[in-house]
């Protein structure tokens, strides 16, 4: 089943249902790729195929597995204030 997301163009490859990245959030993804020891990257935590393989990751609390630095970049507040 193909799903089309509103306001996002589809990849030109007809076999792919993944929307093209508009460029938004690339800075976050780039900085998150340099994960600190003991934390997961933003890319890992946003890809269902990856994070579901980690038994320690709770699906509804994935933001807690981001490093403090990346968390602050994404949410504009420290983890302690978010909770």
């Amino acid at each position: 089943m193909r799903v089309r997301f509103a306001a996002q163009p589809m990849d030109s490859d007809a076999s792919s249902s993944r929307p093209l990245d508009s460029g938004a959030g690339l800075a976050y993804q780039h900085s998150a790729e340099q994960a600190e020891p003991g934390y997961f990257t933003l890319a890992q935590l946003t890809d269902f195929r990856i994070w579901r393989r980690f038994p320690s990751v709770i699906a509804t609390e994935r933001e807690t597995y981001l490093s403090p630095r990346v968390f602050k970049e994404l949410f504009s507040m420290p983890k302690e204030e978010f909770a």
Side-chain angles (χ1 to χ4, degrees), residues 28-56:
Y28 295 127
Q29 290 176 357
H30 176 70
S31 63
E33 293 302 321
Q34 299 146 13
E36 297 172 27
Y39 297 100
F40 293 102
T41 66
L42 179 60
Q44 290 172 316
L45 293 171
T46 55
D47 189 336
F48 175 76
R49 296 168 298 181
I50 297 173
W51 67 259
R52 71 176 177 180
R53 294 181 187 164
F54 301 118
S56 64

Side-chain angles (χ1 to χ4, degrees), residues 7-71:
Q8 292 183 345
M10 293 297 291
D11 191 345
S12 61
D13 178 8
S15 65
S16 173
S17 62
R18 194 178 101 200
L20 290 173
D21 188 347
S22 64
L26 286 180
Y28 295 127
Q29 290 176 357
H30 176 70
S31 63
E33 293 302 321
Q34 299 146 13
E36 297 172 27
Y39 297 100
F40 293 102
T41 66
L42 179 60
Q44 290 172 316
L45 293 171
T46 55
D47 189 336
F48 175 76
R49 296 168 298 181
I50 297 173
W51 67 259
R52 71 176 177 180
R53 294 181 187 164
F54 301 118
S56 64
V57 173
I58 300 169
T60 58
E61 299 176 4
R62 285 177 284 149
E63 71 280 358
T64 62
Y65 301 96
L66 291 168
S67 73
R69 180 183 55 79
V70 173
F71 187 95

